[in-house]
Amino acid sequence: MMVLLLGLSGCGADVEIAVGRMNPVAAASGSGGEAGSGGEAGSGGGGGTISCDALPSPTHRYTFDGVGNLVADLIGGADGAILGGASLDGGGGLTLDGEDDYVDLPAGLLAGLRDVTVMVWVVRDRGGAYLRIVDFGLASGGEDPVEGEGGVGTSYLVITPSTGFDVRGVSALASDSGVVGEVAIHAEPTLEDGEVHQVAVVFDGAAATLALYLDGALLGSEPVGFPLSGIQDVNNWLGRSQFDADPYFGGRYDELRIYPEALAGCAVEAAWNAGPDRP
């Protein structure tokens, strides 16, 4: 899974991540992702220092437990609904068919925040370019636009497992003004191995950066010329795009967390090592 953090250096060298699985991205590169190297953690939404000794609590957490069409928020009470015919499988996961299934979360999950980290554990099963693992934003058709009317995204924060660009892998997109104002981070991995991956996008308002992480390793970061408040998160979707022409996501969700701060790289890595279903 990917987490991106700009303007934040790693956590102190004395920080230990005791729980865990090996980070395959870092192991493959031999770099350790650099996100956990020495130095101090950066500042979060509250303006303080983010410690990696213990992960902060998210403001919203969805573990996809139970059965039926309700996606419960275990912390913030912002429950969502599954649309298109899919339902929770009773085993702590949600599988979307890639045809018309998606999750509609309440509007305003980003409201009042300067910084945010959106972190998700997911398995990609199928689909083409520009699938949406996460798409928080607004479309030209407004709230809950009618499918087939050709709407486009006007503002958004997006995680997609693949694109149509030369670098076709997992990407983070953010904009306050549609494609013209889009900030993008593109990486090589396509999540086509059928394994569970953690992907995280970090919007750091203080540093004015966007970052993307995969399985605890930093994939890249880009400067952002607008505040998080510029993203109107009216349609907060899992599996569906603000752009009507984009396909639906086919795959399984294990957990989604929203933190009201820009997590340091070592915090993202610690979450990956601990895995989903852990506080």
Side-chain angles (χ1 to χ4, degrees):
M1 187 167 291
M2 182 180 303
V3 179
L4 182 57
L5 182 63
L6 291 190
L8 303 183
S9 58
C11 301
D14 58 340
V15 173
E16 293 184 0
I17 301 173
V19 181
R21 299 168 287 169
M22 180 179 292
N23 180 332
V25 175
S29 66
S31 66
E34 292 191 4
S37 58
E40 283 202 9
S43 60
T49 298
I50 299 174
S51 170
C52 290
D53 293 326
L55 280 172
S57 176
T59 49
H60 304 284
R61 186 181 181 201
Y62 304 87
T63 57
F64 304 101
D65 292 322
V67 295
N69 302 103
L70 176 70
V71 176
D73 178 1
L74 303 186
I75 295 178
D79 297 344
I82 306 168
L83 304 177
S87 61
L88 297 173
D89 60 17
L94 169 65
T95 299
L96 303 182
D97 64 6
E99 299 294 333
D100 58 1
D101 295 344
Y102 70 102
V103 176
D104 185 18
L105 299 176
L109 298 179
L110 306 181
L113 300 181
R114 183 192 66 179
D115 315 311
V116 72
T117 299
V118 180
M119 182 183 298
V120 60
W121 279 261
V122 68
V123 179
R124 179 187 182 183
D125 286 343
R126 65 188 72 86
Y130 302 109
L131 309 172
R132 294 300 198 268
I133 296 175
V134 171
D135 194 329
F136 293 170
L138 180 64
S140 56
E143 186 173 5
D144 298 324
V146 177
E147 186 178 4
E149 293 192 349
V152 297
T154 58
S155 70
Y156 43 84
L157 180 64
V158 164
I159 300 172
T160 176
S162 58
T163 73
F165 293 98
D166 290 340
V167 180
R168 296 180 180 273
V170 63
S171 300
L173 314 171
S175 178
D176 67 343
S177 54
V179 174
V180 173
E182 183 175 283
V183 175
I185 301 167
H186 301 302
E188 295 289 347
T190 59
L191 312 188
E192 293 178 338
D193 55 7
E195 301 294 329
V196 177
H197 290 281
Q198 176 217 46
V199 185
V201 61
V202 178
F203 191 108
D204 186 341
T209 58
L210 183 74
L212 177 64
Y213 290 83
L214 176 62
D215 297 342
L218 177 65
L219 293 184
S221 62
E222 291 289 337
V224 177
F226 55 87
L228 185 60
S229 60
I231 298 175
Q232 303 176 63
D233 66 323
V234 173
N235 300 317
N236 289 334
W237 293 333
L238 308 180
R240 180 181 176 183
S241 172
Q242 310 293 335
F243 291 80
D244 195 35
D246 293 337
Y248 285 77
F249 176 79
R252 174 187 169 94
Y253 290 81
D254 282 349
E255 184 160 336
L256 169 70
R257 301 177 191 173
I258 301 174
Y259 295 88
E261 51 200 312
L263 292 186
C266 53
V268 174
E269 184 179 15
W272 160 246
N273 286 335
D277 302 321
R278 296 292 296 267

